[in-house]
Amino acid sequence: MLRLAPLSQFCVRAAFGAALLMPMAAMAVDDYTGAWWRSDESGWGVFLVDQGNMLAPSWFTYGDDGKATWFIVSGAFKQADGSYVGDVYSFTGVPYSQINGQASDPGNRVGTSTFRFTDANTLKLDYNVGGHQQTKTLSRFDWGDQDLVCSPSTAPVSSFTNYTAMWWDPSQSGWGLHVNHVGDLMVATWYTYGADRKAIWLQASTTKGADGVYRGKLYQGTTGTPYHQINGQPATAGVNEVGTASFSFSNGGAGQFSYTIGSVTQTKSIVRADYGNAVSQCRTVTASNPPPAGGSDECFPPLAVGNRIVIRDVGSTSGTDQRVTGTTTYKGHPVFVLEDRPTDGSSQGVTKEYVEQTATHRIYHGGEGYIPEVQANGTFEYIPPVRVPRVTPVGYTETMDYVIRASYTAQGVNVTADINVHEVPLRVGSENASAPAGSFSNACKFDTTIRLKSSVSAAGFTVSTITDGRAIQWSHPAVGPVRSEADTTTTVNTTGGFAVPPQVTQSHVESELIEALINGQHYP
């Protein structure tokens, strides 16, 4: 019997490509893992671990007595409005050199906190601690010519090669390390307890050696402005060098922390601390100039030979690499050649699409491709050509009805099919959007509904397919598609030969922009 699944995938790709430029839908989620601070109030900060449905924040600052201390938020859980809310606790515990079991005493609830993100790089912290209420606006820590980029991951943590995370020894709960790993630099903030059992923090600044071990100096926070009195000035005059520290890792989820302070030398086994429903995976990228500002009504960059974007489904190891490989003529029209190929190099073959670009529109004419799974060489054509305006202001919508005429030979059988498409794109607004390729402000947001109807006859069978779908996509004039998600329901009816009951399948696809090269600019 004729296999039709590859044809359905092929047609959905082509239909969505007409309205959204890329042939698959994509979505990513902002990840807030890392160090946050105010550059004008250096000396205090917040470290966040983003665990999907919750944040695990630690706040390094100075107490009412002016001595360095820290607070822990015991899980800031995500709210309906997108904020994260959690209780703030202070701790006392066993002096660091004596810890050999449970490290902390029972925590003391001292207040509440709310974390709100106005974009991927701006945090508003509202707190009520010790009778003091304040709102602080923080930004991600500036690592100079390198940036730390994090995203949710389903990969095993043992495979991670970046160690940015919270680390601890579960058998000695109550102390831990917040690690920022940027290139060959590793900065770890160690929260623990001094000789008087009060909370203290130290900071290790280490670099990677030829043997893979990170070694460096260890500093201790001493005194500074009480947390509720910090107001636009550096919070402390500095930290004191007190010893040395080193880190080694057997894999992405396990390692050892060693330190020497005075006459005390110890080595601790540490593992990543995971609490929520997602794991944050980070990587280092070269810092570049910020992408062009969003808010433009032209939501995709102009087509240009050499441009390239890579999109990958969330949770998948392979994706689609789309390149503008050249120009040619298609039925008398000057067109760009958009070439899609799988990033794994083999499983789906190559598809070419021919797109004309005018001053006001992109016009999708058709394409060709080879699908190894069904041994299929074929072509497809849009009737009439699909005209997508380049300028789409908020509120733009239109109804597009067209036919995708596909013809190819599959497993020795000649197949022709008309896929009737009813498509309604809507520009609903602008929002900040992030993906592994970067964070983009004021990206265009589209909400598109689509229906595809086809009937294919071959070898005595007729297969009728109806697919209803909806896609939400964020795109930016700097790169095009940043992220999106699509839901589809497909009903297949087969007649001829013998009775086959209708088949209904549903799918949800989330993908994200992994990397891009647009007009000579690399993202990330």
Side-chain angles (χ1 to χ4, degrees):
M1 183 176 178
L2 184 65
R3 294 172 58 200
L4 294 175
L7 173 62
S8 300
Q9 296 168 4
F10 180 76
C11 296
V12 170
R13 273 180 25 179
F16 272 95
L20 304 180
L21 179 63
M22 279 300 296
M24 60 171 55
M27 180 178 180
V29 178
D30 289 336
D31 187 300
Y32 304 116
T33 295
W36 297 75
W37 74 326
R38 283 184 57 130
S39 58
D40 61 340
E41 296 180 354
S42 60
W44 76 276
V46 173
F47 188 95
L48 301 180
V49 178
D50 191 335
Q51 305 250 315
N53 63 329
M54 63 171 288
L55 302 177
S58 299
W59 176 9
F60 300 95
T61 187
Y62 308 91
D64 287 326
D65 59 1
K67 293 182 179 179
T69 190
W70 48 266
F71 301 106
I72 293 288
V73 179
S74 61
F77 289 90
K78 194 169 187 178
Q79 308 298 302
D81 64 357
S83 66
Y84 297 79
V85 176
D87 292 334
V88 181
Y89 286 81
S90 66
F91 289 87
T92 57
V94 179
Y96 63 86
S97 62
Q98 301 172 25
I99 295 174
N100 189 27
Q102 175 68 33
S104 65
D105 301 322
N108 178 34
R109 181 181 178 277
V110 293
T112 59
S113 62
T114 300
F115 299 80
R116 292 184 175 88
F117 299 89
T118 57
D119 58 46
N121 298 301
T122 307
L123 161 65
K124 285 191 174 181
L125 167 62
D126 294 297
Y127 71 80
N128 186 339
V129 172
H132 304 289
Q133 289 183 299
Q134 272 194 337
T135 296
K136 290 288 189 180
T137 299
L138 310 180
S139 59
R140 289 185 183 272
F141 190 81
D142 183 359
W143 297 104
D145 61 355
Q146 292 183 306
D147 285 334
L148 189 64
V149 177
C150 305
S151 58
S153 175
T154 58
V157 295
S158 60
S159 68
F160 292 2
T161 56
N162 186 286
Y163 305 113
T164 300
M166 178 190 294
W167 295 77
W168 72 328
D169 179 348
S171 69
Q172 298 180 357
S173 176
W175 74 272
L177 297 146
H178 288 286
V179 171
N180 288 278
H181 179 197
V182 184
D184 288 337
L185 173 68
M186 181 175 292
V187 177
T189 305
W190 174 17
Y191 63 95
T192 186
Y193 311 95
D196 59 0
R197 300 183 65 89
K198 292 183 178 180
I200 62 171
W201 54 264
L202 303 95
Q203 193 168 80
S205 180
T206 66
T207 54
K208 186 177 181 179
D211 58 356
V213 177
Y214 296 80
R215 299 180 178 89
K217 295 180 179 180
L218 188 61
Y219 304 87
Q220 183 172 346
T222 54
T223 59
T225 304
Y227 65 93
H228 51 88
Q229 297 177 18
I230 300 172
N231 187 22
Q233 299 294 328
T236 182
V239 293
N240 292 337
E241 182 180 340
V242 294
T244 60
S246 66
F247 297 87
S248 61
F249 299 90
S250 55
N251 59 56
Q256 286 190 325
F257 162 54
S258 299
Y259 72 87
T260 297
I261 300 176
S263 62
V264 178
T265 297
Q266 287 189 337
T267 296
K268 301 283 190 177
S269 294
I270 53 176
V271 297
R272 284 182 187 254
D274 296 323
Y275 301 99
N277 62 5
V279 176
S280 183
Q281 183 175 15
C282 302
R283 60 198 175 100
T284 301
V285 300
T286 300
S288 60
N289 293 328
S296 168
D297 288 335
E298 185 168 1
C299 299
F300 297 87
L303 295 174
V305 175
N307 284 359
R308 172 178 178 254
I309 54 178
V310 177
I311 293 281
R312 186 171 64 209
D313 289 352
V314 172
S316 174
T317 58
S318 63
T320 296
D321 184 337
Q322 183 183 84
R323 305 182 185 212
V324 184
T325 58
T327 59
T328 187
T329 301
Y330 182 88
K331 295 188 175 183
H333 296 273
V335 295
F336 287 90
V337 180
L338 277 62
E339 185 175 288
D340 297 345
R341 62 178 65 242
T343 56
D344 61 14
S346 60
S347 65
Q348 294 179 347
V350 177
T351 300
K352 294 181 180 179
E353 190 164 16
Y354 303 118
V355 183
E356 183 179 358
Q357 182 171 260
T358 71
T360 59
H361 286 78
R362 284 198 184 93
I363 306 170
Y364 293 78
H365 290 279
E368 58 186 307
Y370 173 70
I371 305 175
E373 293 88 347
V374 293
Q375 303 173 22
N377 286 289
T379 63
F380 59 95
E381 182 180 5
Y382 300 107
I383 306 172
V386 179
R387 299 172 60 87
V388 179
R390 291 178 60 176
V391 175
T392 52
V394 174
Y396 153 80
T397 187
E398 67 176 292
T399 299
M400 297 187 290
D401 291 291
Y402 55 94
V403 173
I404 306 172
R405 179 158 294 163
S407 60
Y408 58 79
T409 301
Q411 299 180 359
V413 178
N414 293 325
V415 179
T416 59
D418 280 356
I419 300 94
N420 294 279
V421 182
H422 176 77
E423 185 173 354
V424 183
L426 170 64
R427 168 82 186 277
V428 295
S430 298
E431 290 183 353
N432 300 325
S434 295
S439 298
F440 303 89
S441 61
N442 295 318
C444 305
K445 183 179 181 181
F446 291 92
D447 186 340
T448 299
T449 58
I450 190 167
R451 166 168 273 212
L452 299 90
K453 297 174 65 176
S454 67
S455 181
V456 179
S457 297
F461 292 91
T462 299
V463 180
S464 300
T465 304
I466 297 177
T467 297
D468 290 297
R470 180 185 181 191
I472 307 296
Q473 184 187 47
W474 293 260
S475 63
H476 193 277
V479 293
V482 177
R483 58 187 178 101
S484 63
E485 61 177 1
D487 293 281
T488 60
T489 300
T490 300
T491 303
V492 179
N493 289 283
T494 304
T495 59
F498 52 85
V500 178
Q503 298 179 340
V504 179
T505 58
Q506 294 181 321
S507 69
H508 175 79
V509 179
E510 299 181 5
S511 307
E512 55 195 354
L513 181 65
I514 303 301
E515 59 179 293
L517 173 61
I518 305 295
N519 299 323
Q521 175 68 54
H522 290 270
Y523 302 88

